[in-house]
Amino acid sequence: MIKKSGKGIFLGLVLIFLYAPIIILAIYSFTDATTIGGAGSFSLQNYETLFTTEELVDMILGTIMLALISAIISTVLGTIGAIGSFYSKKKFRSFYSTINQIPVINADVVTGFSICILLVVVFGVSKDTYIPLIFGHVTLCAPFVYLSVMPRLKQMDPFIYEAALDLGASPASALRKIVIPQIFPGILSGFMLAITLSLDDYFIATYTKPATFDTISTYVVNATKGAQTDIKTALWALSTLIFAIVIIAVIIMNVTASRKAVKFKKEA
């Protein structure tokens, strides 16, 4: 009994430590206070500023577009890489897996700086374009798509593709109608993970973005160095909305997974 109580208290303290700052920020986003801890009354001014300030709206939409484009490219490349690696010989598969681990383990600041040097200095790509930024985010996200798809490939019957070929299907048709549907949950998970990584990235974007463009991460960091007070407090509202969206997404995913598990047990 004492051990269970101790575990409960410890878990409660961990949850408080993790979520108390976010909850406090969310509470103050609904006030007119100018600083955390300051006095203020209930107000939706921060949310009004967030959605009516052109600079903030452009920054949010630009970040979302960047995340979608990077995630789509990363999903295609990561899925192709995983399928190619899976159907390769064992020694090549091990080599591809090792190469894929490098961007995952490597520090983002190193990746961003290296891409900046490679594209801008070596190949002469203008930093005023979005090419280095997209290239950097794809480099960040594609390996994680690979890691999301590969377990699904390993769970799949390795001979099902060959069986489709024996029955007269073309390689492209077998891939489209047999392999892709089998691994689609992994592809979807990789796509969502790629979006999350792109939205969260700061270091790669800092080194590769055009001077006139800001992602949410780079904008928030720069805003703490001297932006107007109303802009800073509007970012409280933005942080609250992001947190709420994440919670809703997690709940939906868990409910969907639970329903599928219950349906599977009934069918079994």
PDB file of all heavy atoms in Angstrom, residues 112-150:
ATOM      1  N   GLY A 112      22.120  21.655 -39.824  1.00  0.00           N
ATOM      2  CA  GLY A 112      21.757  22.937 -40.426  1.00  0.00           C
ATOM      3  C   GLY A 112      22.954  23.684 -40.972  1.00  0.00           C
ATOM      4  O   GLY A 112      22.920  24.214 -42.091  1.00  0.00           O
ATOM      5  N   PHE A 113      24.025  23.734 -40.198  1.00  0.00           N
ATOM      6  CA  PHE A 113      25.228  24.443 -40.635  1.00  0.00           C
ATOM      7  C   PHE A 113      25.855  23.760 -41.844  1.00  0.00           C
ATOM      8  O   PHE A 113      26.313  24.421 -42.779  1.00  0.00           O
ATOM      9  CB  PHE A 113      26.232  24.506 -39.474  1.00  0.00           C
ATOM     10  CG  PHE A 113      27.401  25.408 -39.737  1.00  0.00           C
ATOM     11  CD1 PHE A 113      27.213  26.750 -40.018  1.00  0.00           C
ATOM     12  CD2 PHE A 113      28.694  24.914 -39.705  1.00  0.00           C
ATOM     13  CE1 PHE A 113      28.290  27.590 -40.259  1.00  0.00           C
ATOM     14  CE2 PHE A 113      29.779  25.742 -39.949  1.00  0.00           C
ATOM     15  CZ  PHE A 113      29.577  27.084 -40.229  1.00  0.00           C
ATOM     16  N   SER A 114      25.867  22.425 -41.856  1.00  0.00           N
ATOM     17  CA  SER A 114      26.453  21.680 -42.971  1.00  0.00           C
ATOM     18  C   SER A 114      25.663  21.899 -44.257  1.00  0.00           C
ATOM     19  O   SER A 114      26.241  22.088 -45.335  1.00  0.00           O
ATOM     20  CB  SER A 114      26.496  20.184 -42.630  1.00  0.00           C
ATOM     21  OG  SER A 114      27.253  19.945 -41.473  1.00  0.00           O
ATOM     22  N   ILE A 115      24.344  21.876 -44.156  1.00  0.00           N
ATOM     23  CA  ILE A 115      23.508  22.096 -45.342  1.00  0.00           C
ATOM     24  C   ILE A 115      23.687  23.502 -45.879  1.00  0.00           C
ATOM     25  O   ILE A 115      23.738  23.731 -47.094  1.00  0.00           O
ATOM     26  CB  ILE A 115      22.030  21.824 -44.994  1.00  0.00           C
ATOM     27  CG1 ILE A 115      21.825  20.320 -44.772  1.00  0.00           C
ATOM     28  CG2 ILE A 115      21.102  22.324 -46.098  1.00  0.00           C
ATOM     29  CD1 ILE A 115      20.456  19.972 -44.249  1.00  0.00           C
ATOM     30  N   CYS A 116      23.807  24.460 -44.966  1.00  0.00           N
ATOM     31  CA  CYS A 116      24.036  25.845 -45.380  1.00  0.00           C
ATOM     32  C   CYS A 116      25.336  25.968 -46.163  1.00  0.00           C
ATOM     33  O   CYS A 116      25.390  26.600 -47.223  1.00  0.00           O
ATOM     34  CB  CYS A 116      24.054  26.754 -44.148  1.00  0.00           C
ATOM     35  SG  CYS A 116      24.304  28.506 -44.517  1.00  0.00           S
ATOM     36  N   ILE A 117      26.406  25.348 -45.668  1.00  0.00           N
ATOM     37  CA  ILE A 117      27.697  25.396 -46.353  1.00  0.00           C
ATOM     38  C   ILE A 117      27.619  24.681 -47.699  1.00  0.00           C
ATOM     39  O   ILE A 117      28.098  25.190 -48.724  1.00  0.00           O
ATOM     40  CB  ILE A 117      28.788  24.764 -45.471  1.00  0.00           C
ATOM     41  CG1 ILE A 117      29.035  25.630 -44.234  1.00  0.00           C
ATOM     42  CG2 ILE A 117      30.089  24.594 -46.257  1.00  0.00           C
ATOM     43  CD1 ILE A 117      30.031  25.044 -43.263  1.00  0.00           C
ATOM     44  N   LEU A 118      27.001  23.487 -47.722  1.00  0.00           N
ATOM     45  CA  LEU A 118      26.942  22.689 -48.948  1.00  0.00           C
ATOM     46  C   LEU A 118      26.173  23.406 -50.053  1.00  0.00           C
ATOM     47  O   LEU A 118      26.662  23.530 -51.187  1.00  0.00           O
ATOM     48  CB  LEU A 118      26.289  21.338 -48.643  1.00  0.00           C
ATOM     49  CG  LEU A 118      26.071  20.422 -49.850  1.00  0.00           C
ATOM     50  CD1 LEU A 118      27.399  19.981 -50.429  1.00  0.00           C
ATOM     51  CD2 LEU A 118      25.223  19.212 -49.459  1.00  0.00           C
ATOM     52  N   LEU A 119      24.977  23.877 -49.745  1.00  0.00           N
ATOM     53  CA  LEU A 119      24.126  24.449 -50.788  1.00  0.00           C
ATOM     54  C   LEU A 119      24.488  25.887 -51.122  1.00  0.00           C
ATOM     55  O   LEU A 119      24.541  26.265 -52.299  1.00  0.00           O
ATOM     56  CB  LEU A 119      22.655  24.369 -50.359  1.00  0.00           C
ATOM     57  CG  LEU A 119      22.063  22.962 -50.219  1.00  0.00           C
ATOM     58  CD1 LEU A 119      20.595  23.041 -49.844  1.00  0.00           C
ATOM     59  CD2 LEU A 119      22.224  22.174 -51.506  1.00  0.00           C
ATOM     60  N   VAL A 120      24.725  26.686 -50.097  1.00  0.00           N
ATOM     61  CA  VAL A 120      24.942  28.117 -50.319  1.00  0.00           C
ATOM     62  C   VAL A 120      26.377  28.407 -50.752  1.00  0.00           C
ATOM     63  O   VAL A 120      26.607  29.149 -51.725  1.00  0.00           O
ATOM     64  CB  VAL A 120      24.597  28.920 -49.044  1.00  0.00           C
ATOM     65  CG1 VAL A 120      24.890  30.414 -49.255  1.00  0.00           C
ATOM     66  CG2 VAL A 120      23.139  28.712 -48.667  1.00  0.00           C
ATOM     67  N   VAL A 121      27.356  27.820 -50.058  1.00  0.00           N
ATOM     68  CA  VAL A 121      28.762  28.120 -50.342  1.00  0.00           C
ATOM     69  C   VAL A 121      29.298  27.275 -51.498  1.00  0.00           C
ATOM     70  O   VAL A 121      29.892  27.800 -52.442  1.00  0.00           O
ATOM     71  CB  VAL A 121      29.628  27.896 -49.075  1.00  0.00           C
ATOM     72  CG1 VAL A 121      31.101  28.170 -49.394  1.00  0.00           C
ATOM     73  CG2 VAL A 121      29.148  28.785 -47.942  1.00  0.00           C
ATOM     74  N   VAL A 122      29.070  25.960 -51.453  1.00  0.00           N
ATOM     75  CA  VAL A 122      29.644  25.064 -52.457  1.00  0.00           C
ATOM     76  C   VAL A 122      28.882  25.134 -53.779  1.00  0.00           C
ATOM     77  O   VAL A 122      29.479  25.326 -54.845  1.00  0.00           O
ATOM     78  CB  VAL A 122      29.678  23.613 -51.931  1.00  0.00           C
ATOM     79  CG1 VAL A 122      30.225  22.671 -53.013  1.00  0.00           C
ATOM     80  CG2 VAL A 122      30.533  23.525 -50.677  1.00  0.00           C
ATOM     81  N   PHE A 123      27.553  24.994 -53.717  1.00  0.00           N
ATOM     82  CA  PHE A 123      26.758  24.951 -54.947  1.00  0.00           C
ATOM     83  C   PHE A 123      26.190  26.307 -55.349  1.00  0.00           C
ATOM     84  O   PHE A 123      25.580  26.431 -56.408  1.00  0.00           O
ATOM     85  CB  PHE A 123      25.622  23.936 -54.805  1.00  0.00           C
ATOM     86  CG  PHE A 123      26.087  22.508 -54.776  1.00  0.00           C
ATOM     87  CD1 PHE A 123      26.121  21.807 -53.585  1.00  0.00           C
ATOM     88  CD2 PHE A 123      26.519  21.877 -55.928  1.00  0.00           C
ATOM     89  CE1 PHE A 123      26.550  20.495 -53.536  1.00  0.00           C
ATOM     90  CE2 PHE A 123      26.951  20.563 -55.900  1.00  0.00           C
ATOM     91  CZ  PHE A 123      26.972  19.873 -54.711  1.00  0.00           C
ATOM     92  N   GLY A 124      26.358  27.316 -54.527  1.00  0.00           N
ATOM     93  CA  GLY A 124      25.949  28.663 -54.885  1.00  0.00           C
ATOM     94  C   GLY A 124      24.456  28.908 -54.907  1.00  0.00           C
ATOM     95  O   GLY A 124      23.974  29.828 -55.577  1.00  0.00           O
ATOM     96  N   VAL A 125      23.689  28.093 -54.177  1.00  0.00           N
ATOM     97  CA  VAL A 125      22.241  28.304 -54.100  1.00  0.00           C
ATOM     98  C   VAL A 125      21.966  29.535 -53.243  1.00  0.00           C
ATOM     99  O   VAL A 125      22.512  29.681 -52.146  1.00  0.00           O
ATOM    100  CB  VAL A 125      21.534  27.079 -53.494  1.00  0.00           C
ATOM    101  CG1 VAL A 125      20.038  27.326 -53.367  1.00  0.00           C
ATOM    102  CG2 VAL A 125      21.798  25.842 -54.348  1.00  0.00           C
ATOM    103  N   SER A 126      21.137  30.435 -53.738  1.00  0.00           N
ATOM    104  CA  SER A 126      20.840  31.660 -53.004  1.00  0.00           C
ATOM    105  C   SER A 126      20.072  31.344 -51.720  1.00  0.00           C
ATOM    106  O   SER A 126      19.106  30.570 -51.733  1.00  0.00           O
ATOM    107  CB  SER A 126      20.016  32.611 -53.872  1.00  0.00           C
ATOM    108  OG  SER A 126      19.628  33.752 -53.127  1.00  0.00           O
ATOM    109  N   LYS A 127      20.508  31.957 -50.632  1.00  0.00           N
ATOM    110  CA  LYS A 127      19.816  31.753 -49.359  1.00  0.00           C
ATOM    111  C   LYS A 127      18.495  32.524 -49.318  1.00  0.00           C
ATOM    112  O   LYS A 127      17.699  32.361 -48.393  1.00  0.00           O
ATOM    113  CB  LYS A 127      20.718  32.197 -48.202  1.00  0.00           C
ATOM    114  CG  LYS A 127      20.325  31.571 -46.860  1.00  0.00           C
ATOM    115  CD  LYS A 127      21.237  32.002 -45.740  1.00  0.00           C
ATOM    116  CE  LYS A 127      20.743  31.441 -44.412  1.00  0.00           C
ATOM    117  NZ  LYS A 127      21.524  31.912 -43.270  1.00  0.00           N
ATOM    118  N   ASP A 128      18.259  33.387 -50.312  1.00  0.00           N
ATOM    119  CA  ASP A 128      16.982  34.091 -50.385  1.00  0.00           C
ATOM    120  C   ASP A 128      15.868  33.193 -50.889  1.00  0.00           C
ATOM    121  O   ASP A 128      14.699  33.567 -50.856  1.00  0.00           O
ATOM    122  CB  ASP A 128      17.114  35.316 -51.297  1.00  0.00           C
ATOM    123  CG  ASP A 128      18.030  36.376 -50.707  1.00  0.00           C
ATOM    124  OD1 ASP A 128      18.126  36.434 -49.455  1.00  0.00           O
ATOM    125  OD2 ASP A 128      18.670  37.127 -51.471  1.00  0.00           O
ATOM    126  N   THR A 129      16.229  32.003 -51.392  1.00  0.00           N
ATOM    127  CA  THR A 129      15.226  31.034 -51.820  1.00  0.00           C
ATOM    128  C   THR A 129      14.902  30.097 -50.653  1.00  0.00           C
ATOM    129  O   THR A 129      15.571  30.115 -49.619  1.00  0.00           O
ATOM    130  CB  THR A 129      15.737  30.201 -53.009  1.00  0.00           C
ATOM    131  OG1 THR A 129      16.824  29.366 -52.566  1.00  0.00           O
ATOM    132  CG2 THR A 129      16.247  31.106 -54.127  1.00  0.00           C
ATOM    133  N   TYR A 130      13.880  29.270 -50.858  1.00  0.00           N
ATOM    134  CA  TYR A 130      13.475  28.332 -49.813  1.00  0.00           C
ATOM    135  C   TYR A 130      14.112  26.955 -50.003  1.00  0.00           C
ATOM    136  O   TYR A 130      13.821  26.041 -49.226  1.00  0.00           O
ATOM    137  CB  TYR A 130      11.948  28.196 -49.803  1.00  0.00           C
ATOM    138  CG  TYR A 130      11.247  29.452 -49.358  1.00  0.00           C
ATOM    139  CD1 TYR A 130      10.805  30.397 -50.283  1.00  0.00           C
ATOM    140  CD2 TYR A 130      11.033  29.704 -48.007  1.00  0.00           C
ATOM    141  CE1 TYR A 130      10.174  31.546 -49.873  1.00  0.00           C
ATOM    142  CE2 TYR A 130      10.399  30.858 -47.580  1.00  0.00           C
ATOM    143  CZ  TYR A 130       9.970  31.780 -48.526  1.00  0.00           C
ATOM    144  OH  TYR A 130       9.354  32.924 -48.108  1.00  0.00           O
ATOM    145  N   ILE A 131      14.971  26.809 -51.001  1.00  0.00           N
ATOM    146  CA  ILE A 131      15.568  25.508 -51.299  1.00  0.00           C
ATOM    147  C   ILE A 131      16.403  24.983 -50.132  1.00  0.00           C
ATOM    148  O   ILE A 131      16.224  23.833 -49.711  1.00  0.00           O
ATOM    149  CB  ILE A 131      16.405  25.576 -52.594  1.00  0.00           C
ATOM    150  CG1 ILE A 131      15.497  25.850 -53.793  1.00  0.00           C
ATOM    151  CG2 ILE A 131      17.184  24.279 -52.798  1.00  0.00           C
ATOM    152  CD1 ILE A 131      16.242  26.038 -55.097  1.00  0.00           C
ATOM    153  N   PRO A 132      17.333  25.774 -49.561  1.00  0.00           N
ATOM    154  CA  PRO A 132      18.100  25.249 -48.420  1.00  0.00           C
ATOM    155  C   PRO A 132      17.223  24.872 -47.228  1.00  0.00           C
ATOM    156  O   PRO A 132      17.479  23.866 -46.552  1.00  0.00           O
ATOM    157  CB  PRO A 132      19.044  26.403 -48.071  1.00  0.00           C
ATOM    158  CG  PRO A 132      19.149  27.204 -49.326  1.00  0.00           C
ATOM    159  CD  PRO A 132      17.798  27.118 -49.956  1.00  0.00           C
ATOM    160  N   LEU A 133      16.181  25.669 -46.986  1.00  0.00           N
ATOM    161  CA  LEU A 133      15.297  25.406 -45.848  1.00  0.00           C
ATOM    162  C   LEU A 133      14.538  24.096 -46.032  1.00  0.00           C
ATOM    163  O   LEU A 133      14.489  23.254 -45.118  1.00  0.00           O
ATOM    164  CB  LEU A 133      14.321  26.568 -45.675  1.00  0.00           C
ATOM    165  CG  LEU A 133      13.302  26.455 -44.541  1.00  0.00           C
ATOM    166  CD1 LEU A 133      13.995  26.294 -43.200  1.00  0.00           C
ATOM    167  CD2 LEU A 133      12.384  27.674 -44.530  1.00  0.00           C
ATOM    168  N   ILE A 134      13.945  23.896 -47.204  1.00  0.00           N
ATOM    169  CA  ILE A 134      13.206  22.667 -47.475  1.00  0.00           C
ATOM    170  C   ILE A 134      14.152  21.472 -47.479  1.00  0.00           C
ATOM    171  O   ILE A 134      13.841  20.406 -46.936  1.00  0.00           O
ATOM    172  CB  ILE A 134      12.452  22.781 -48.811  1.00  0.00           C
ATOM    173  CG1 ILE A 134      11.365  23.862 -48.707  1.00  0.00           C
ATOM    174  CG2 ILE A 134      11.837  21.440 -49.202  1.00  0.00           C
ATOM    175  CD1 ILE A 134      10.634  24.127 -50.008  1.00  0.00           C
ATOM    176  N   PHE A 135      15.329  21.651 -48.097  1.00  0.00           N
ATOM    177  CA  PHE A 135      16.321  20.573 -48.124  1.00  0.00           C
ATOM    178  C   PHE A 135      16.708  20.167 -46.699  1.00  0.00           C
ATOM    179  O   PHE A 135      16.832  18.975 -46.383  1.00  0.00           O
ATOM    180  CB  PHE A 135      17.559  21.041 -48.896  1.00  0.00           C
ATOM    181  CG  PHE A 135      18.529  19.950 -49.231  1.00  0.00           C
ATOM    182  CD1 PHE A 135      18.482  19.302 -50.444  1.00  0.00           C
ATOM    183  CD2 PHE A 135      19.516  19.568 -48.316  1.00  0.00           C
ATOM    184  CE1 PHE A 135      19.376  18.294 -50.756  1.00  0.00           C
ATOM    185  CE2 PHE A 135      20.414  18.565 -48.611  1.00  0.00           C
ATOM    186  CZ  PHE A 135      20.348  17.919 -49.835  1.00  0.00           C
ATOM    187  N   GLY A 136      16.904  21.165 -45.831  1.00  0.00           N
ATOM    188  CA  GLY A 136      17.274  20.883 -44.453  1.00  0.00           C
ATOM    189  C   GLY A 136      16.185  20.141 -43.694  1.00  0.00           C
ATOM    190  O   GLY A 136      16.464  19.195 -42.956  1.00  0.00           O
ATOM    191  N   HIS A 137      14.933  20.548 -43.876  1.00  0.00           N
ATOM    192  CA  HIS A 137      13.846  19.892 -43.164  1.00  0.00           C
ATOM    193  C   HIS A 137      13.591  18.486 -43.685  1.00  0.00           C
ATOM    194  O   HIS A 137      13.221  17.590 -42.916  1.00  0.00           O
ATOM    195  CB  HIS A 137      12.580  20.743 -43.261  1.00  0.00           C
ATOM    196  CG  HIS A 137      12.521  21.809 -42.230  1.00  0.00           C
ATOM    197  ND1 HIS A 137      11.353  22.258 -41.650  1.00  0.00           N
ATOM    198  CD2 HIS A 137      13.507  22.519 -41.630  1.00  0.00           C
ATOM    199  CE1 HIS A 137      11.614  23.201 -40.764  1.00  0.00           C
ATOM    200  NE2 HIS A 137      12.917  23.381 -40.739  1.00  0.00           N
ATOM    201  N   VAL A 138      13.786  18.274 -44.976  1.00  0.00           N
ATOM    202  CA  VAL A 138      13.656  16.925 -45.532  1.00  0.00           C
ATOM    203  C   VAL A 138      14.761  16.023 -44.984  1.00  0.00           C
ATOM    204  O   VAL A 138      14.524  14.862 -44.631  1.00  0.00           O
ATOM    205  CB  VAL A 138      13.701  16.960 -47.074  1.00  0.00           C
ATOM    206  CG1 VAL A 138      13.807  15.548 -47.650  1.00  0.00           C
ATOM    207  CG2 VAL A 138      12.457  17.652 -47.625  1.00  0.00           C
ATOM    208  N   THR A 139      15.963  16.568 -44.886  1.00  0.00           N
ATOM    209  CA  THR A 139      17.078  15.811 -44.302  1.00  0.00           C
ATOM    210  C   THR A 139      16.782  15.443 -42.853  1.00  0.00           C
ATOM    211  O   THR A 139      17.141  14.352 -42.387  1.00  0.00           O
ATOM    212  CB  THR A 139      18.376  16.636 -44.353  1.00  0.00           C
ATOM    213  OG1 THR A 139      18.648  16.992 -45.719  1.00  0.00           O
ATOM    214  CG2 THR A 139      19.551  15.856 -43.792  1.00  0.00           C
ATOM    215  N   LEU A 140      16.114  16.330 -42.142  1.00  0.00           N
ATOM    216  CA  LEU A 140      15.750  16.064 -40.750  1.00  0.00           C
ATOM    217  C   LEU A 140      14.651  15.019 -40.635  1.00  0.00           C
ATOM    218  O   LEU A 140      14.713  14.130 -39.771  1.00  0.00           O
ATOM    219  CB  LEU A 140      15.292  17.373 -40.091  1.00  0.00           C
ATOM    220  CG  LEU A 140      14.658  17.264 -38.697  1.00  0.00           C
ATOM    221  CD1 LEU A 140      15.701  16.839 -37.671  1.00  0.00           C
ATOM    222  CD2 LEU A 140      14.019  18.591 -38.304  1.00  0.00           C
ATOM    223  N   CYS A 141      13.640  15.089 -41.497  1.00  0.00           N
ATOM    224  CA  CYS A 141      12.416  14.305 -41.325  1.00  0.00           C
ATOM    225  C   CYS A 141      12.439  12.942 -42.012  1.00  0.00           C
ATOM    226  O   CYS A 141      11.868  11.973 -41.480  1.00  0.00           O
ATOM    227  CB  CYS A 141      11.218  15.101 -41.845  1.00  0.00           C
ATOM    228  SG  CYS A 141      10.947  16.672 -40.995  1.00  0.00           S
ATOM    229  N   ALA A 142      13.071  12.840 -43.191  1.00  0.00           N
ATOM    230  CA  ALA A 142      13.013  11.599 -43.969  1.00  0.00           C
ATOM    231  C   ALA A 142      13.523  10.378 -43.198  1.00  0.00           C
ATOM    232  O   ALA A 142      12.916   9.299 -43.283  1.00  0.00           O
ATOM    233  CB  ALA A 142      13.782  11.769 -45.284  1.00  0.00           C
ATOM    234  N   PRO A 143      14.625  10.478 -42.442  1.00  0.00           N
ATOM    235  CA  PRO A 143      15.083   9.294 -41.694  1.00  0.00           C
ATOM    236  C   PRO A 143      14.057   8.779 -40.684  1.00  0.00           C
ATOM    237  O   PRO A 143      13.982   7.568 -40.431  1.00  0.00           O
ATOM    238  CB  PRO A 143      16.345   9.790 -40.984  1.00  0.00           C
ATOM    239  CG  PRO A 143      16.836  10.919 -41.827  1.00  0.00           C
ATOM    240  CD  PRO A 143      15.598  11.585 -42.334  1.00  0.00           C
ATOM    241  N   PHE A 144      13.258   9.679 -40.108  1.00  0.00           N
ATOM    242  CA  PHE A 144      12.244   9.250 -39.150  1.00  0.00           C
ATOM    243  C   PHE A 144      11.072   8.568 -39.857  1.00  0.00           C
ATOM    244  O   PHE A 144      10.426   7.687 -39.281  1.00  0.00           O
ATOM    245  CB  PHE A 144      11.756  10.451 -38.336  1.00  0.00           C
ATOM    246  CG  PHE A 144      12.777  10.953 -37.349  1.00  0.00           C
ATOM    247  CD1 PHE A 144      13.661  11.964 -37.691  1.00  0.00           C
ATOM    248  CD2 PHE A 144      12.857  10.410 -36.076  1.00  0.00           C
ATOM    249  CE1 PHE A 144      14.606  12.425 -36.791  1.00  0.00           C
ATOM    250  CE2 PHE A 144      13.798  10.863 -35.159  1.00  0.00           C
ATOM    251  CZ  PHE A 144      14.672  11.869 -35.520  1.00  0.00           C
ATOM    252  N   VAL A 145      10.777   8.989 -41.090  1.00  0.00           N
ATOM    253  CA  VAL A 145       9.767   8.286 -41.876  1.00  0.00           C
ATOM    254  C   VAL A 145      10.249   6.866 -42.168  1.00  0.00           C
ATOM    255  O   VAL A 145       9.495   5.899 -42.071  1.00  0.00           O
ATOM    256  CB  VAL A 145       9.472   9.040 -43.190  1.00  0.00           C
ATOM    257  CG1 VAL A 145       8.475   8.255 -44.038  1.00  0.00           C
ATOM    258  CG2 VAL A 145       8.932  10.432 -42.903  1.00  0.00           C
ATOM    259  N   TYR A 146      11.513   6.755 -42.535  1.00  0.00           N
ATOM    260  CA  TYR A 146      12.137   5.443 -42.771  1.00  0.00           C
ATOM    261  C   TYR A 146      11.959   4.548 -41.548  1.00  0.00           C
ATOM    262  O   TYR A 146      11.570   3.371 -41.667  1.00  0.00           O
ATOM    263  CB  TYR A 146      13.617   5.661 -43.085  1.00  0.00           C
ATOM    264  CG  TYR A 146      14.444   4.406 -43.284  1.00  0.00           C
ATOM    265  CD1 TYR A 146      14.771   3.963 -44.554  1.00  0.00           C
ATOM    266  CD2 TYR A 146      14.920   3.677 -42.189  1.00  0.00           C
ATOM    267  CE1 TYR A 146      15.542   2.820 -44.738  1.00  0.00           C
ATOM    268  CE2 TYR A 146      15.683   2.542 -42.365  1.00  0.00           C
ATOM    269  CZ  TYR A 146      16.002   2.116 -43.634  1.00  0.00           C
ATOM    270  OH  TYR A 146      16.754   0.993 -43.811  1.00  0.00           O
ATOM    271  N   LEU A 147      12.229   5.096 -40.370  1.00  0.00           N
ATOM    272  CA  LEU A 147      12.127   4.318 -39.131  1.00  0.00           C
ATOM    273  C   LEU A 147      10.675   3.967 -38.797  1.00  0.00           C
ATOM    274  O   LEU A 147      10.427   2.965 -38.108  1.00  0.00           O
ATOM    275  CB  LEU A 147      12.741   5.101 -37.970  1.00  0.00           C
ATOM    276  CG  LEU A 147      14.250   5.328 -38.043  1.00  0.00           C
ATOM    277  CD1 LEU A 147      14.720   6.210 -36.897  1.00  0.00           C
ATOM    278  CD2 LEU A 147      14.999   3.996 -38.018  1.00  0.00           C
ATOM    279  N   SER A 148       9.720   4.754 -39.265  1.00  0.00           N
ATOM    280  CA  SER A 148       8.306   4.463 -39.020  1.00  0.00           C
ATOM    281  C   SER A 148       7.776   3.389 -39.966  1.00  0.00           C
ATOM    282  O   SER A 148       6.919   2.586 -39.583  1.00  0.00           O
ATOM    283  CB  SER A 148       7.471   5.745 -39.185  1.00  0.00           C
ATOM    284  OG  SER A 148       7.819   6.720 -38.227  1.00  0.00           O
ATOM    285  N   VAL A 149       8.291   3.362 -41.190  1.00  0.00           N
ATOM    286  CA  VAL A 149       7.802   2.429 -42.206  1.00  0.00           C
ATOM    287  C   VAL A 149       8.452   1.057 -42.065  1.00  0.00           C
ATOM    288  O   VAL A 149       7.806   0.021 -42.270  1.00  0.00           O
ATOM    289  CB  VAL A 149       8.054   2.998 -43.623  1.00  0.00           C
ATOM    290  CG1 VAL A 149       7.687   1.976 -44.697  1.00  0.00           C
ATOM    291  CG2 VAL A 149       7.258   4.282 -43.824  1.00  0.00           C
ATOM    292  N   MET A 150       9.720   1.013 -41.706  1.00  0.00           N
ATOM    293  CA  MET A 150      10.456  -0.249 -41.671  1.00  0.00           C
ATOM    294  C   MET A 150       9.819  -1.308 -40.763  1.00  0.00           C
ATOM    295  O   MET A 150       9.727  -2.483 -41.152  1.00  0.00           O
ATOM    296  CB  MET A 150      11.907   0.017 -41.257  1.00  0.00           C
ATOM    297  CG  MET A 150      12.792  -1.219 -41.311  1.00  0.00           C
ATOM    298  SD  MET A 150      12.843  -2.001 -42.943  1.00  0.00           S
ATOM    299  CE  MET A 150      13.877  -0.825 -43.830  1.00  0.00           C
TER     300      MET A 150
END
